[in-house]
Amino acid sequence: MIASTATTALPIAPDAVDPRFVPKRTLYTGAKIPVLGLGTFGSDRFTGEQIAEAVLGAAAVGYRHFDCASVYGNEQQIGHSLRAIVDGGIAREDLWVTSKLWNDKHGEADVIPSCEQSLRDLQLDYLDLHLVHWPFPNYHPPGCDVGSRSKDARPYLHDNFMKTWRQMESLVDRRLVRHIGTSNMTMAKLKLVLRDARIKPACNEMELHPHFQQPEFFRFVVDQGIVPIGYCPIGSPNRPERDRTETDTVDIEDPVIVRIADRLGVHPGVVCLKWAVQRGQVPIPFSVKRPQYLSSLRAVTEGPLAEQEMREISAIDRNCRLIKGQVFLWKEGQSWEDLWDPRGEITPH
Ligand SMILES: NC(=O)c1ccc[n+]([C@@H]2O[C@H](COP(=O)([O-])OP(=O)(O)OC[C@H]3O[C@@H](n4cnc5c(N)ncnc54)[C@H](OP(=O)(O)O)[C@@H]3O)[C@@H](O)[C@H]2O)c1
């Protein structure tokens, strides 16, 4: 960590969750990741300052895990909060900070400088986890319409991905990051990476919520000793219009989720988070609102769902992918499903 200077103690809220009571999952390295983290993607709804304030507020209520990414455009602002958190007396070792390599930085010469930039912005001297955000090296401007295509878009090319991965491995060798991982992968692609990696992914970040459980891929990830980090854990109910399609379903309106929420007297989103942690994934819900992020953290320290409820939720999977990734398609006439290798093998070029 860049040297701590000021000594203003971080005010710990009277209603905070004691972080020692937040369960952790053990990675294959023996390191421990808190089972729930705060997402930091504000999309076009929240400014970097608002999100940085939420990071500070979340630390004050007991969060120690933050899911960041260079493309979210707010790492500089979040860096000020992380600095204040450490200056306020929370040891760097007690924090878990993830960042991600964006798609326009897959080039061999770009990976290390990009990570160094994230470190500077976040005011850290190492990341706990650095992910390759998407397996495609395809740039598109933030906030662009899902119909837009880059003329330089390319498919997943394993040899190219491994060149990027070698640089990710060298980030571990240089002690700039403690762990590396993947995001938005499929089983077919991850199998190849596992075959060829010198340092295997410690985590795989993937979309996971009750209406999108990815049971086969989830099981594969766990069986490989990789921790699944689940994004959109509440079903991203407030995502931008451009990320919605007519067939999308709404997890927090599902009668099973609503009934369990009523029994517990909590918001249905809290049920999604309890289910996620009990199932074995690490959800990273997003909110800048204190009551929301506090209740999300409480969800993982208060009583578990009944086994019967867990079974009922496993039966409401709708295979409803919300983040379809259309902008990454690389040729005309494709559908977004092609990005996700629906036939179990990497979609041919
Ligand atoms: N690796 C990737 O490619 C990838 C992709 C997408 C997302 N992510 C990560 O995943 C994070 C979460 O994704 P997301 O924001 O799309 O989906 P999400 O966490 O499923 O949904 C966020 C929404 O849920 C609501 N919410 C949060 N906590 C709540 C609670 N305790 N009770 C009731 N409602 C609650 C919030 O409502 P309010 O608006 O009222 O606060 C917020 O709008 C992102 O911030 C990002 O870090 C990663």
Side-chain angles (χ1 to χ4, degrees):
M1 176 86 200
I2 292 164
S4 166
T5 48
T7 49
T8 317
L10 181 76
I12 300 300
D15 54 353
V17 171
D18 186 332
R20 289 172 302 179
F21 298 141
V22 174
K24 296 189 171 62
R25 249 171 242 301
T26 305
L27 307 184
Y28 74 78
T29 59
K32 292 181 190 303
I33 179 171
V35 290
L36 183 132
L38 186 74
T40 65
F41 179 42
S43 192
D44 31 21
R45 298 174 57 229
F46 299 101
T47 64
E49 284 73 21
Q50 286 173 301
I51 290 166
E53 202 182 310
V55 166
L56 204 52
V61 302
Y63 278 76
R64 296 293 179 263
H65 170 181
F66 302 98
D67 181 81
C68 307
S70 53
V71 74
Y72 299 163
N74 53 21
E75 288 192 328
Q76 242 181 28
Q77 291 89 340
I78 290 174
H80 295 301
S81 296
L82 295 177
R83 161 66 78 113
I85 291 166
V86 174
D87 286 352
I90 294 174
R92 170 66 184 95
E93 298 70 50
D94 291 339
L95 295 176
W96 182 280
V97 183
T98 298
S99 184
K100 310 185 191 91
L101 178 79
W102 188 235
N103 308 342
D104 58 345
K105 300 291 180 192
H106 281 211
E108 282 177 282
D110 295 331
V111 176
I112 293 169
S114 170
C115 178
E116 287 171 336
Q117 185 63 51
S118 282
L119 287 171
R120 269 193 301 277
D121 288 346
L122 293 166
Q123 303 200 33
L124 301 174
D125 52 19
Y126 71 89
L127 292 170
D128 297 277
L129 176 65
H130 198 39
L131 305 173
V132 182
H133 206 145
W134 285 83
F136 309 101
N138 301 337
Y139 176 78
H140 67 93
C144 74
D145 186 81
V146 293
S148 80
R149 300 282 178 268
S150 158
K151 63 178 175 36
D152 302 319
R154 276 173 287 157
Y156 176 81
L157 297 170
H158 181 62
D159 288 350
N160 287 355
F161 187 85
M162 286 313 296
K163 285 182 188 157
T164 308
W165 192 255
R166 294 291 171 235
Q167 297 302 313
M168 296 290 284
E169 292 173 329
S170 87
L171 291 172
V172 179
D173 298 337
R174 290 166 187 240
R175 300 177 188 278
L176 294 178
V177 312
R178 298 264 161 103
H179 303 88
I180 49 178
T182 46
S183 174
N184 294 303
M185 291 298 262
T186 61
M187 194 148 80
K189 295 182 183 95
L190 189 54
K191 274 182 182 164
L192 290 184
V193 174
L194 286 168
R195 185 194 67 191
D196 295 337
R198 175 171 63 86
I199 300 178
K200 86 169 186 181
C203 298
N204 181 60
E205 195 162 305
M206 55 201 281
E207 184 177 328
L208 289 172
H209 43 95
H211 282 184
F212 192 60
Q213 302 187 16
Q214 305 206 62
E216 194 191 359
F217 188 31
F218 175 81
R219 181 48 45 210
F220 175 78
V221 167
V222 171
D223 287 348
Q224 296 299 320
I226 299 171
V227 168
I229 297 179
Y231 73 70
C232 300
I234 297 176
S236 200
N238 298 322
R239 66 193 179 284
E241 274 310 314
R242 63 173 181 272
D243 286 337
R244 295 173 192 263
T245 63
E246 272 178 10
T247 52
D248 290 352
T249 58
V250 184
D251 303 67
I252 55 175
E253 290 173 8
D254 188 289
V256 169
I257 301 288
V258 171
R259 177 167 40 76
I260 299 170
D262 287 347
R263 177 183 78 75
L264 296 171
V266 297
H267 187 280
V270 167
V271 175
C272 297
L273 298 174
K274 281 178 173 291
W275 166 80
V277 171
Q278 248 171 283
R279 185 188 189 219
Q281 62 220 36
V282 174
I284 44 170
F286 170 79
S287 184
V288 297
K289 299 173 187 161
R290 188 180 190 281
Q292 315 263 58
Y293 59 69
L294 179 55
S295 68
S296 294
L297 195 61
R298 286 226 177 99
V300 306
T301 55
E302 291 172 353
L305 301 180
E307 278 310 312
Q308 170 63 18
E309 291 168 335
M310 288 297 289
R311 278 195 294 277
E312 287 178 71
I313 298 176
S314 74
I316 60 168
D317 190 4
R318 304 274 194 88
N319 194 26
C320 178
R321 190 187 286 279
L322 303 173
I323 306 299
K324 299 174 177 69
Q326 296 94 322
V327 289
F328 301 115
L329 289 168
W330 61 89
K331 64 181 180 192
E332 290 305 315
Q334 290 182 301
S335 82
W336 63 264
E337 283 90 347
D338 292 331
L339 296 166
W340 304 99
D341 305 334
R343 284 165 289 282
E345 58 188 44
I346 296 176
T347 301
H349 312 152

